Amino acid sequence: MSVLRLRAALGPARLRGPGISWSVLRNYSSASAKEKASRSGVCERTELLEVLKARVKQLQASHIQEVTLNKGELAPLGNDKFQEPLWKAVAPGPMGEQPGPQGGDEKLAWPSGWADKLKKEMHIRQLKVERRLSIAAAQLAPGGQAKKKPKVKAKGKTKTKDKAKDKAKDKARESLKSPESLKSSGSLKSPESLKSPGSLKSPESLKSPESLKSPNSPKSPKAKVVAAWSQSHTVPRIIYPHGKPRVLTVKEVAKPPRPQRRAKDSSQDKVLQQTMHSNLECFLFLQKPEEAERFLLLYHSSPAKKRLLDVNAYNIVMRCWARQGNLKRVNLLFSMLEAMGLRPSLDSYAAVLECMGRVPPSTKAVHRCVQQLKHDGFHVDELFQKCLFEEDEKEMVLKAIRIVQPEYQLPPPPSPQTCTSSLLQDFYSKEKMVSYPKLDFSVQELQERFQQQLEMELDNTVTIESVESTKPLNPQAGKARELLATLRSQWHDSLLQALQKSKHSMARLTTGSGHNTLYPYLCLLPDEEYVAIMLQILNSLSPQGESLAVLARELGNKIYDRHVMQRKLRSRQLEQVQEIYQGYIQLLARDSQPHQYLPREYWEKLVADAGFGPSLNLRDCSWPYVLLMRLGMHMLELLVRATKVPRNILNPRLEPKLIPVLYHIYSFHSSGQVGLIKPHPIFSQIMSDAAEATLTFNSSAIPMLCPPVPWISPNFGAFVLNDTKLMRFVDGAVQHQLLLEQCPPVNLHPVLDALNQLGNCAWKINQPVLDIIISIFNDKGNEKLDIPPPVSEAPKPPTSPSGSTGSKTQKHELLLYKKKVAEMHSLRMDALYKLSIANYIRDKVFWFPHNMDFRGRTYPCPPYFNHLGNDVTRAILLFAEGRPLGPKGLDWLKIHLVNLTGLKKKNALQERLEYANEIMEEILDSADRPLTGRRWWMDTDEPWQTLACCMEIAKASRSPDPAAYVSHFPIHQDGSCNGLQHYAALGRDLIGAISVNLMPCSVPQDVYSAVAQQVEEFRKKDAEQGVRIAQVLQGFINRKVVKQTVMTVVYGVTRYGGRLQMEKRLKEIDGFPEEYLWEASQYLVKQVFNSIKEMFSATRDIQNWLTESAKLIAQSGRTVEWVTPLGLPIVQPYYRSKATVLNCGMQHLSVKTFYTNQKPDTVKQKNAFPPNFIHSLDSTHMMLTALHCLRQGLTFVSVHDCYWTHALTVDVMNQICRQQFVALHSEKILQDLSKFMLETYCSPDRETRALWQKKLMEQLSNVPETGEFNLQKVMDSTYFFS
Amino acid sequence: MLAGRAPPGAADCCRRLLAATLRPLLCGLPLCWATARRAAGQWPSPGLRLPEAAEVERLVQQAQRGRASLHRFIACPQLARTVQRCLQSGTGPQPVLLEFAPGPGVLTRTLLNAGVKVVALESNSAFLPNLQSLENSLDGQLKVIYGDFFRLDPLVPGALKPPAMCSNKLFETIGVAAVPWMADVPVKVFGILPQKTERNMLWRLLFALYECNSIYKYGRVELNLFISEKEYKVLTAKPGEPRAYQALTVLWQLGCEIQLLHMEPWSSFVTNLKNGGLWIPKSVFLPNDHLCLVRLTPQQNLFTGGLKPTNATTFIFVVKQCLAKPKSRLTDRLHSWSLDDPGKLLRQLEIPRKAQARDLYPEDYKHLFEALQNSNLFIETWFHDEALESIRNINL
């Protein structure tokens, strides 16, 4: 409190120069805006400041050099080179850098000398400057001189104080930084010393460290800076803690070179900072404020680590204390934070107010606090609009506010914003708003389903019956299951013991050093849960073993997920979600009023109505990847060490001895070695004998039993409790999340709404088909029908399995056998998971929440069973909602059937329909007697979907009125070579457009045949001219040879890759002379590229333009970023990977780390840009189609470029799909891209003289020309999507 | 183990001396002398002319057509002489010398001139005509075979496509029968390991040696190989040497007597690179200024203890596992293989409990393995898959 009072007393007069408003100093972003305006006036001042800073640094360095001579232990401190070793050396003891008391006098001597020297120079310089500079600078001068006087006085005082302090220091070292000792030891940092008027005369100088912070410093008058520095140096106690950050800032300002070094530092800093934050968050979660504060002080008092501290770190600790209602501690931290020169943030005030709400102090105190909050440019309303409160924090803050403003009301929620994208004007226009389509459920039913889902997620794992369990149980299995049960309970006990032991030993260790330890992370969950997680890993381990890194990551992630769930429970987030969801159901249920809202809008409205503010979003607390791995490794080590099995368990003749269940082994590959964890064969044997009838999954692996929570923000949506990211990314990559968070929320609305639309599609199981599949699965499988047979069906192993003596061929056979078995095992398990999940939800209606990859392509979240799966999984999925077939529905079913067979690809739709009618008998036979009849369906491209379709046709055609038959069957419409379609539309390529069906044609065009034809023409010409290889290739060029290459051209295949594909195809052709393989493939790939160039002339130009642009961007050290027409920001996450080596007990683990300022991988950035860009367009097209289908009340889902809907609505969907394609490509996509990239990469305030910059600008502005294809033609093209 | 350093650097003077080595045909010796020598494996010198440096380069460049990987060849006659002397330096009867990848044949001619019976195994068909005409001009002293020493007995199914070949066929063609392990060296092999596959070859040869497979089916074949200096340093490293002491070290030192015959700077060799560059492999921690001619003679007593060709793969695997993390404690390693009392085992072997994997002498590993075999605790089949996998990675 005292500090607050003090600060309040000082008021606005403190640091401000004349004419510079508080908000400028306070708010970095507004400062930078303002800066532009007043640049001319300020820059000279800034210059001066820089000169001075540089000089300060010089003096500092030279002085420390002097000290080096007589005091070795002090030497490395100021020296850049030694920063890192020092850091380590200092780390263990916060006081380590302090010289012994006997060195006190010597130490006292030099800072004053230093300051004198500086003062003299300052004076001279100032005189010079005064003469030279403008009036503005001159104005500042008196202030500076005035400030120097108190400084000298302060020096005199501190000399006497120092002796006392030396004593205090010793004491402090013993008392090991407990919060209590803070008062005595850190006297200068603590409010007491700040309060005591004797210690420092000038109140200004107290605040002075603040002016050191670079964001503000350019603004602050130079003299103050000097005063601050010299002042701090008269006080040896804070020389070192303050020394380091200052040297760094100065270096940044005064010495621009060495960017590499800086980048490295800051990326390291970033991970250290993240680790520190998550550690502090842990303490907050554990409600251990003492620990948190001790940890913070560890950083606070270490000169090397101090620079890692930011305002958030203090905020977390303040919240810790606030929760306990310890206002004294909170104030202390608040003052520490200010003394560090950090600017209190909104959260800092929230913490103080929360604490005041808990333990109401005098009204005056609250008043002052609110006053100061306003001084700092914040508003009370902002507290409730921006802060993410947990538990009862909000109520407490409100309580505190109402002490001073009894009438205070929560601010009204911000009015919802609407997306302004031209593509979606219709969609979002309020006039045309229609009510959201209803589900066939009552409110009551949906509520029950939500409860089920919630319970499932609360349980964390779901144990379901395996489809194999219907097999009869043999006695051996019964025995093995019993054995396994006993073993598991033993393992459970020993794991628990091991965990507790390791925690115990860590806890002892922690009290000493307190950093870089996993201890807090081992306390987050109940011990039992850690054990359960470990046992879960053990159960799912494949007999072939698994790489250490994969297991560690899995363990780490599981713990993290579990912790996030706990936080959601604890922070009352779940309660709020539950409450909102109850209202949300009203939008979907059939027995509720229609609402003209989108799910997201409705949810936001409900949140606003309930006055929850932003707190449904959980405060971000993601753990650094390195930490996840470390934690996982620790768990894994416990698991390997603690689980044992008697080795005579299967062979009683052996003497009893416990041996580990898991063992660690290296596998050697051409490039290095990979650590594996393998289960002991005994364990694998027991597991396979037991053939357990249940499978355990994470609850997020099961489709949702209620409509998913709509996506509201990048951090909120999908499952009720399970943490789901809006964007999938590689482990450790942080760029996407950052980008999404920086993006204005309204820009994300279209994407979020599209994902919500896809996720809201309800599904059910096609039970008859599922039953047939399971019967085959439980019989012997069928490789032809893609039902993997059990491993027992594998061909017998070759003889002499012990075999190191066997001949080479035997060895080879054995290798093949092992490989085959491993493959079969994984295929079988995959199918088992899928079928078991499908079987588990066979009577239920379920939903697939969706998220997307970094290009915006959408995916269902549950990993095993979803509609993106293979033929088998797609065949057992039906829309839960049924629609009558309507007049054309049956025809669509038949056409769809023919499409699935792959038989009449080149024929018109009418011909396909006629063909279906011709073979009606076969269709009905397949439907009626799938396994006993003529089995026509088995010989098709997609046999299971064909069968399902046969059954649907049979039912529909036999119903009295097929048009009224209610069908749940999804009809697919596929884009024909969708990538090339987008390219052809981008470039308006006429010939290209025809060949990929953008132009209306009576029969579908086949781009592969067209290319093959073109290649053949080229070949003929060459052959006539006597080119040998062209003659050799006569009669070998066909659709099949070129197909793969043409297809992958879109995805940026290179000549090299294309040649390899060609070689493969040619090898498959019987009778192709082998000696010509290389030459022929080389020739062919050249001709294919030429043909594509001929047909899609603009396409290649665009591709080259994209590639070249990406190359130049990457070479300039930036990553390629763009924004889709729907406003989704995209960044390519390809960086030159830097591996951090984790030194874990069992093995060193090399972990790839990503940071924002990493160097991009030029080759990947360049090669991947064209395909990624095209994918971002196709995903945009899909989302546009999805959104507009929603407006028309259609059921719509997609598998990338394959769109699904009911038979009734196929025609409507087709029309929308074409409309949206035309609308999308009517946008100036490439021009917009060029504009965006020019803005991003060639902004005028960056260095423009550089050659690369010019080149880049030229490249980016030079958008390729387009052809004369009339885009509107797409509207009438039947085979565009078919 | 070391033969001491032979004087390096014959490259500089090689061009000057070239003319001197051209010798007139020698045919004046009495016939009976020739047959007697021939019987002892020593032929009369045919007095062949060595190709000149420029010619060698032209030959090598011609052979570059197609896409051959980097190879080195001996071009300098003096170096060829040095190598020839080194090869003949052993005592006892001189067995047949198999020279693989002779290329332009400078050494081959030098050897022939010195009266050695040579089998040339050439995989590059561009060099073949030249060698074959040489073969035809001689009376059986040279035999030329189209084949690739590096693709002997590959682990692939089906019929082998030349130049890949089966060692059975090779030895049949040479006319050498298998001899017992304890017998004398049946065949000497000479060649330069190609840089890119050097390490891989060293592993493959090692597996063949320990399993008595491939060429080692015919007895203790003596290898005389030019290998890079860094690999030589690895092969001859001492326990505890950081970075140099590896699994390869342990296994080669146990398996063979390693003799350094000669060291020659990289620049003395001709490469088949288009620009004639030397392309010396980088080495950060170990010196790498030379190619080293080393003689690897399999130990007679390799299989006298518990180690047998049948369990040798497991042994190799054990050593590899131990030295995968050289600083790890041996007890920890053993522990992770389900041995519950590794301490006792180590005590028996008088290995300190705290010993790190890299501290153990090669013999210690052998003893350790033998002890493991006897301890009845050790289930080698666990390692089987992994060991098999590592063979596959090497043998493709």
Side-chain angles (χ1 to χ4, degrees), chain A residues 274 278-279 281-282 521 524 556 559-561 563-564 621-628 631:
Chain A
Q274 212 190 348
S278 59
N279 274 355
E281 287 278 0
C282 273
Y521 298 91
L524 292 175
I559 294 171
Y560 174 73
D561 289 344
H563 168 59
V564 170
C621 66
S622 56
W623 294 347
Y625 188 54
V626 171
L627 184 89
L628 274 179
L631 186 59

Side-chain angles (χ1 to χ4, degrees), chain A residues 657 660 663-668 673 678 680 801-802 804-805 808 811-812 815 818 1074 1078 1145-1146, chain B residues 67 155 157 161 211 310 313 320-321 324-325 333 336 338 340 382-386 388 392-393 395:
Chain A
K657 226 169 202 181
Y663 58 105
H664 173 228
I665 214 166
Y666 287 95
S667 159
F668 299 92
Q673 53 209 26
K678 288 202 157 209
H680 194 285
S802 65
S804 32
T805 44
K808 289 275 173 188
K811 229 178 234 169
H812 184 78
L815 273 174
K818 296 258 177 201
E1074 201 175 321
W1078 200 82
M1146 199 152 36
Chain B
R67 290 165 303 146
L155 197 56
K161 260 188 237 166
E211 292 178 359
T310 43
T313 330
K320 279 183 94 170
Q321 286 296 328
K325 195 179 171 191
R333 291 275 89 198
S336 74
S338 312
D340 52 356
W382 304 354
F383 290 130
H384 193 247
D385 295 355
E386 283 305 320
L388 218 54
R392 195 180 63 103
N393 286 334
N395 265 347

Side-chain angles (χ1 to χ4, degrees), chain B residues 190-208:
Chain B
F190 169 80
I192 305 171
L193 287 189
Q195 184 174 307
K196 210 176 149 194
T197 53
E198 186 177 45
R199 185 152 266 252
N200 189 286
M201 271 313 288
L202 286 172
W203 273 113
R204 275 182 68 168
L205 289 166
L206 205 59
F207 271 102

Side-chain angles (χ1 to χ4, degrees), chain B residues 303-340:
Chain B
F303 299 115
T304 46
L307 188 65
K308 295 277 170 279
T310 43
N311 58 21
T313 330
T314 318
F315 173 61
I316 293 177
F317 195 65
V318 167
V319 174
K320 279 183 94 170
Q321 286 296 328
C322 286
L323 285 162
K325 195 179 171 191
K327 284 191 204 164
S328 67
R329 282 204 196 159
L330 203 64
T331 41
D332 294 342
R333 291 275 89 198
L334 293 176
H335 200 81
S336 74
W337 301 333
S338 312
L339 284 173
D340 52 356

Side-chain angles (χ1 to χ4, degrees), chain A residues 652-855:
Chain A
R653 279 180 299 136
L654 293 169
E655 55 180 307
K657 226 169 202 181
L658 286 176
I659 53 170
V661 172
L662 300 174
Y663 58 105
H664 173 228
I665 214 166
Y666 287 95
S667 159
F668 299 92
H669 297 281
S670 48
S671 60
Q673 53 209 26
V674 178
L676 296 177
I677 294 291
K678 288 202 157 209
H680 194 285
I682 291 180
F683 174 67
S684 301
Q685 187 63 48
I686 299 173
M687 283 294 273
S688 92
D689 284 349
E692 288 186 288
T694 54
L695 295 167
T696 302
F697 291 103
N698 242 354
S699 58
S700 58
I702 310 287
M704 285 184 76
L705 306 176
C706 66
V709 174
W711 285 106
I712 306 297
S713 74
N715 301 316
F716 184 85
F719 290 100
V720 182
L721 270 177
N722 280 305
D723 199 36
T724 320
K725 289 268 182 287
L726 177 66
M727 204 176 255
R728 305 170 166 217
F729 43 78
V730 269
D731 283 306
V734 291
Q735 289 84 5
H736 306 302
Q737 198 67 22
L738 278 175
L739 202 61
L740 288 175
E741 273 158 21
Q742 283 161 11
C743 172
V746 67
N747 288 7
L748 289 178
H749 284 175
V751 177
L752 299 179
D753 289 333
L755 286 170
N756 292 338
Q757 153 78 344
L758 296 171
N760 270 349
C761 173
W763 297 89
K764 65 174 190 174
I765 295 288
N766 191 341
Q767 296 190 20
V769 179
L770 178 64
D771 287 335
I772 298 173
I773 291 172
I774 290 178
S775 73
I776 295 184
F777 181 83
N778 274 341
D779 187 19
K780 279 177 182 163
N782 185 331
E783 273 181 344
K784 205 183 127 243
L785 293 176
D786 213 12
I787 309 289
V791 177
S792 55
E793 292 296 309
K796 288 285 154 273
T799 45
S800 84
S802 65
S804 32
T805 44
S807 73
K808 289 275 173 188
T809 44
Q810 257 177 328
K811 229 178 234 169
H812 184 78
E813 272 168 30
L814 196 64
L815 273 174
L816 285 183
Y817 166 74
K818 296 258 177 201
K819 208 176 151 198
K820 172 94 181 154
V821 167
E823 245 174 48
M824 280 177 70
H825 177 81
S826 67
L827 285 175
R828 176 82 179 173
M829 291 317 273
D830 181 56
L832 178 69
Y833 291 170
K834 282 177 180 164
L835 294 176
S836 300
I837 293 173
N839 195 40
Y840 173 67
I841 49 177
R842 63 184 299 140
D843 307 313
K844 298 191 170 86
V845 171
F846 51 91
W847 284 263
F848 294 122
H850 277 61
N851 63 3
M852 59 189 174
D853 67 11
F854 75 93
R855 302 157 308 183

Side-chain angles (χ1 to χ4, degrees), chain A residues 1253-1265:
Chain A
Q1253 183 86 16
K1254 259 188 194 159
K1255 227 171 123 187
L1256 179 59
M1257 242 167 122
E1258 219 176 275
Q1259 166 69 26
L1260 292 181
S1261 351
N1262 194 10
V1263 179
E1265 303 280 313

